[in-house]
Amino acid sequence: MDVRWERVGERAVLTDEGRLKATARGWHLLVVQMAGEAGDAAVFAVENRCSHATARLDGGEIDGCHIVCPLHGARFDIRDGTCAGPPASQPIRSFPARINGEDVEVAVPEKPPMAKPKFGVFN
Ligand code: FES
């Protein structure tokens, strides 16, 4: 799979706001900075889309290592995308993230094209 590191924003914005939304290679991303296990800052990236009804997650409350979907309240672990609370039951995609100098970078594959609908007016 063709995965590559993409610059998605400035470190200063992430440090100031604790989160950063971005797009890279067709993915809508949410990057979050949290305290790591050693007390240092760690950076994580997930797809900015709830697995329940595809709401964007960037406006959701961050509660510990979880982000809470602002639409119906599903919870996801920001570190790996695991679903941690209903009504969602599926995880969200997570991506490797890092700070590189003054840049925030996320390793993303090329997003596969959306499948055409089988029926309807978009053929
Ligand atoms: S869209 Fe996120 S919980 Fe429903």
Side-chain angles (χ1 to χ4, degrees):
M1 191 185 314
D2 174 31
V3 177
R4 68 175 185 235
W5 288 98
E6 294 280 333
R7 180 190 182 280
V8 296
E10 295 177 20
R11 177 184 198 165
V13 173
L14 185 61
T15 301
D16 288 349
E17 300 179 13
R19 66 178 76 182
L20 179 69
K21 63 180 180 177
T23 56
R25 304 187 80 187
W27 297 96
H28 294 280
L29 304 170
L30 176 62
V31 184
V32 177
Q33 180 171 296
M34 300 189 307
E37 291 179 7
D40 54 336
V43 180
F44 301 93
V46 292
E47 188 173 10
N48 189 10
R49 193 178 70 159
C50 181
S51 63
H52 177 237
T54 69
R56 287 171 40 168
L57 294 171
D58 56 272
E61 177 188 345
I62 293 177
D63 180 16
C65 62
H66 295 138
I67 186 153
V68 181
C69 177
L71 191 55
H72 306 121
R75 300 172 71 90
F76 300 95
D77 192 319
I78 295 165
R79 299 169 296 182
D80 61 6
T82 302
C83 181
S89 58
Q90 298 298 312
I92 55 175
R93 189 162 183 152
S94 66
F95 305 88
R98 69 185 182 191
I99 299 295
N100 185 11
E102 296 306 313
D103 295 333
V104 180
E105 297 178 339
V106 179
V108 286
E110 187 168 352
K111 188 167 185 174
M114 290 183 61
K116 281 186 176 178
K118 200 168 185 178
F119 304 103
V121 296
F122 301 108
N123 292 329

